[in-house]
Amino acid sequence: MEETHGRSVAGQSQARQGTVRGIVPPHMLKHLAESGNGRSRDLAIRMLMRIEKIRGMRLALGEFYVAAPTGGKCIRVYDVKHGSDGDLPGELVANPSKSRDPAVKEAYRGAEATYKFFRQLYDRNSIDDKGMCIDSSVHFETDYDNAGWDGKQMIYGDGDGVYFNRFTIAIDVIAHELAHGVTEYEAALEYHDQPGALNESMSDVFGSLVKQWKAKETVDAADWLIGEGLFTKKVKGKALRSMSAPGTAYDDPALGKDPQPAHMRDFVKTREDEGGVHINSGIPNHAFYLTAMELGGHAWERAGKIWYITLRDALKAKASFATAAKRTWQVAGVLYGEGSEEQEAVKKGWAGVGVKIRK
Amino acid sequence: MIIHLVRTGGFGGMRREVRIETGSLPSREREPLERLVGEAEFFSLPGKFPRPRRGADYFLYSLTVEDGERRHTVEVAQPLLPEGLRPLVRELSKRLKG
């Protein structure tokens, strides 16, 4: 299964028709999965998972297609000059990495770091894994307290200056938004209720991991906060969310208290926020944190890899927390072996938030 | 007229709201607000807009207006805000409280 550029690899047509079984013997795939490099390892993992009939695995077109190299990263920053949705993306900024406008520079550098993170650690080429340009617009509306992914690009507000600083100030916010794009191209988790909270959690996980990776932090050194630096000094709070202790990130007279639960028994039933997608994400966030702490070292190496492969290959759009737990556990088994330390850590992580893995 | 905006969602997932009884405002504040409600043709807007097909972290608005016998609520996500409603939402957003 040698990598070729711009052409299909052996087995592509059969794979698409779901008749993978028998092309490469499972023992060979297992060997590749354990000792292969880069793409061949990933391909072996994908085929193994299909053979093991993990229900819910995505049968994406192009799964076995190795795209022609795009000749490097493409990261663009636009200034929408306080315009709104209809004005996007705005005016392209030349040399954004050297801009004197901190929002432009941060948007560029955050996107670049996130691109490198996915490329170097998980062999992913940009948001769509086909090298698409990563576009961001800064100065969205006026005093805008938000950042977002609109399905095509990232958007950053300047903050109101009273409670919020500019939203590019925190690299995990940028990585969070970019990860929404990755999720949209992979599991495409629906943005409401439990799948929506998983979607949010995936963005927090990779948001935090990019920050940890940039700082070369081990799990013990990391702060596990999301959006540190976003609040002005006026606000009583460290950040928007905490993965290590959901529900404790802020408690402010004007903004209220961090509403995140850390356990299923505190799951919040609400119609607001598309069914609490930014609230109940505390539960899978904490499961990831517990898994990573159990494994120690650098969270992006094993826990992050398990979560990434699960997002890419093993989740469907309507996945629940219980399904995500089972899939991460299965992926850990495929990546590191049944009963491995990694698989046990995943099980412990989810157990710690009240989600049992049903085999 | 009573205007009540609740904003949820967004990156922070924070709930913030503002409730205004326009009758209690001086006329220089009341009139522009009531005019924006009129210009938005608020009472003719659908009550619930669809969820955006793509994207994440957008704000979600639930806007209720009571005017005499009439009462109407519009629920809509930021990217799908009708153009006519944007000036009113922008104005109310400046007054959001915790």
Side-chain angles (χ1 to χ4, degrees):
Chain A
M1 227 174 311
E2 282 299 307
E3 181 168 327
T4 57
H5 293 299
R7 286 188 293 114
S8 62
V9 295
Q12 179 188 3
S13 58
Q14 291 94 328
R16 283 187 181 168
Q17 287 154 26
T19 54
V20 168
R21 188 190 290 268
I23 293 171
V24 182
H27 70 270
M28 202 180 287
L29 287 173
K30 284 208 164 112
H31 180 73
L32 270 173
E34 282 156 20
S35 58
N37 302 316
R39 290 266 158 178
S40 64
R41 183 167 185 255
D42 283 354
L43 285 172
I45 290 162
R46 289 182 194 201
M47 293 176 83
L48 267 176
M49 291 179 63
R50 187 167 298 173
I51 287 165
E52 294 189 3
K53 287 191 176 172
I54 292 177
R55 284 192 312 122
M57 205 202 76
R58 212 167 57 88
L59 282 166
L61 285 173
E63 191 99 70
F64 288 80
Y65 183 78
V66 182
T70 52
K73 62 185 190 290
C74 168
I75 297 168
R76 299 184 292 209
V77 179
Y78 296 82
D79 185 346
V80 69
K81 301 184 172 183
H82 309 290
S84 193
D85 300 274
D87 306 303
L88 290 170
E91 196 175 286
L92 183 66
V93 181
N95 300 318
S97 65
K98 297 185 182 78
S99 175
R100 280 195 208 165
D101 179 341
V104 169
K105 196 154 98 178
E106 288 161 356
Y108 182 85
R109 294 194 171 174
E112 184 185 44
T114 308
Y115 174 87
K116 286 181 176 169
F117 171 90
F118 279 108
R119 183 80 185 181
Q120 291 174 18
L121 297 178
Y122 305 142
D123 196 23
R124 183 180 190 83
N125 186 10
S126 186
I127 290 168
D128 62 350
D129 201 14
K130 291 184 170 65
M132 78 181 258
C133 287
I134 299 171
D135 290 339
S136 311
S137 295
V138 297
H139 305 308
F140 185 79
E141 296 222 340
T142 301
D143 297 332
Y144 199 67
D145 285 337
N146 205 14
W149 159 256
D150 79 347
K152 291 184 195 140
Q153 65 159 97
M154 295 177 283
I155 296 163
Y156 300 99
D158 296 328
D160 55 40
V162 180
Y163 301 111
F164 286 95
N165 293 314
R166 61 179 185 275
F167 274 68
T168 48
I169 208 163
I171 193 172
D172 48 346
V173 174
I174 293 172
H176 173 109
E177 298 310 336
L178 202 151
H180 274 309
V182 172
T183 295
E184 214 162 86
Y185 277 90
E186 297 296 348
L189 290 157
E190 290 181 6
Y191 206 58
H192 62 92
D193 302 297
Q194 285 198 19
L198 284 172
N199 188 323
E200 269 306 309
S201 177
M202 286 291 177
S203 274
D204 279 353
V205 164
F206 295 110
S208 183
L209 288 181
V210 168
K211 182 176 160 182
Q212 293 177 31
W213 177 69
K214 276 293 279 181
K216 299 185 168 65
E217 286 170 337
T218 60
V219 295
D220 302 300
D223 60 22
W224 295 96
L225 297 170
I226 300 295
E228 194 200 16
L230 271 189
F231 285 139
T232 60
K233 289 200 170 72
K234 181 190 163 95
V235 177
K236 291 190 182 4
K238 296 172 287 191
L240 273 291
R241 290 184 279 278
S242 165
M243 298 177 72
S244 59
T248 67
Y250 63 91
D251 188 356
D252 182 80
L255 297 176
K257 187 181 179 304
D258 176 359
Q260 284 212 313
H263 195 279
M264 282 307 281
R265 64 176 164 257
D266 300 314
F267 187 93
V268 178
K269 280 193 176 163
T270 175
R271 278 189 64 233
E272 291 180 350
D273 187 28
E274 304 284 33
V277 298
H278 294 88
I279 298 170
N280 292 312
S281 56
I283 295 168
N285 274 0
H286 197 55
F288 179 82
Y289 164 81
L290 292 174
T291 303
M293 291 304 284
E294 183 68 23
L295 290 170
H298 293 136
W300 58 85
E301 285 172 3
R302 291 184 287 170
K305 174 95 180 178
I306 293 165
W307 254 247
Y308 173 69
I309 297 291
T310 303
L311 177 68
R312 193 189 64 184
D313 296 343
L315 284 179
K316 281 206 297 192
K318 293 180 193 298
S320 64
F321 291 0
T323 305
K326 188 171 171 177
R327 298 290 175 249
T328 48
W329 182 81
Q330 286 172 321
V331 166
V334 171
L335 287 174
Y336 301 102
E338 296 297 322
S340 59
E341 175 195 9
E342 292 81 0
Q343 201 181 29
E344 286 306 303
V346 170
K347 194 174 170 184
K348 267 193 177 176
W350 287 103
V353 300
V355 179
K356 268 199 191 138
I357 291 165
R358 292 176 207 287
K359 292 168 201 176
Chain B
M1 185 186 286
I2 295 170
I3 304 172
H4 185 202
L5 177 73
V6 179
R7 189 183 78 189
T8 65
F11 176 83
M14 288 176 168
R15 184 186 201 279
R16 300 184 76 188
E17 64 183 313
V18 57
R19 188 175 183 282
I20 299 167
E21 286 198 54
T22 57
S24 67
L25 296 174
S27 60
R28 65 183 152 74
E29 286 186 49
R30 187 185 73 234
E31 282 162 12
L33 272 179
E34 292 183 347
R35 193 172 61 242
L36 288 176
V37 173
E39 284 169 2
E41 297 182 43
F42 186 79
F43 289 95
S44 310
L45 291 173
K48 186 136 178 73
F49 282 71
R51 180 176 291 129
R53 280 190 301 133
R54 306 187 74 182
D57 291 339
Y58 40 78
F59 282 135
L60 297 158
Y61 299 101
S62 174
L63 179 57
T64 302
V65 177
E66 289 178 52
D67 187 20
E69 295 294 293
R70 294 194 295 179
R71 184 179 196 278
H72 185 51
T73 298
V74 171
E75 292 181 22
V76 59
Q78 161 87 29
L80 300 181
L81 270 173
E83 282 306 317
L85 191 56
R86 286 180 180 256
L88 177 63
V89 168
R90 207 168 282 143
E91 190 53 40
L92 294 170
S93 296
K94 293 179 192 166
R95 302 164 185 247
L96 284 167
K97 296 180 181 71

